[in-house]
Amino acid sequence: IDITSAPVVSDGALVGVATVFDDASDTERGRAASEQQWAAFQLIIQNTQDVILRTDPEGVVRWVSLSIDRVLGWRPADVVGRWLVDLVHPDDRGAVESLVARVAGITDDDASEGAEFRMATPDGDWRWMSDSARALRDRDLAVSGGLHALRDIGDEVAAREALAQSEERYRTFALGSLTAEA
């Protein structure tokens, strides 16, 4: 029950109190449902295989999912407040700077931008990541930052490199065979 009271004054003298009783059951049920939905969302987002992070328009990490520990070995507190580009291999920083700029310029709410790059681990190793990013908007629909979904693609990159090496060996062998026949 939501109770609201107000004094009743007549000729400058307090003559009583007016009280209104409102059934707040729907409000409480709505609040409880919202809290349950928020808890479910937190459970999903914190346990995804991808690293989810939010950046401001300049690319500074403002929030990161707990999965960053499992995927890259970082604690969220070690990443929040840093520029995303600071965690990227020097050879790949241009791609990430370009990605952050493209995300800031997205005008279509359904659009996303992507890039592949190497990210640092706390022990100095590098992991190949794929980033699918989209713009986050504030209440005035201005871009307030980016939402990034980072996925470890190390196995995929290794497979592509192995295929490229295999194709190169085959070309070398085929060209050698043609030269030997001539």
Side-chain angles (χ1 to χ4, degrees), residues 57-150:
E58 290 76 36
V60 175
V61 177
R62 296 299 174 198
W63 181 87
V64 64
S65 61
L66 295 176
S67 57
I68 197 163
D69 185 18
R70 185 175 57 255
V71 174
L72 289 165
W74 292 103
R75 294 177 321 163
D78 295 331
V79 175
V80 171
R82 294 177 70 176
W83 274 279
L84 178 58
V85 102
D86 287 347
L87 298 168
V88 174
H89 191 280
D91 294 344
D92 302 332
R93 287 185 178 156
V96 175
E97 289 168 347
S98 174
L99 175 66
V100 169
R102 291 191 322 266
V103 166
I106 290 177
T107 57
D108 179 0
D109 286 339
D110 293 329
S112 64
E113 293 286 342
E116 293 181 357
F117 49 86
R118 290 162 287 182
M119 285 190 76
T121 63
D123 59 8
D125 285 339
W126 299 99
R127 295 248 174 84
W128 276 102
M129 305 298 287
S130 171
D131 186 353
S132 177
R134 58 184 305 134
L136 288 177
R137 300 191 182 284
D138 61 20
R139 291 183 183 185
D140 298 325
L141 301 180
V143 174
S144 63
L147 179 65
H148 300 257
L150 303 171

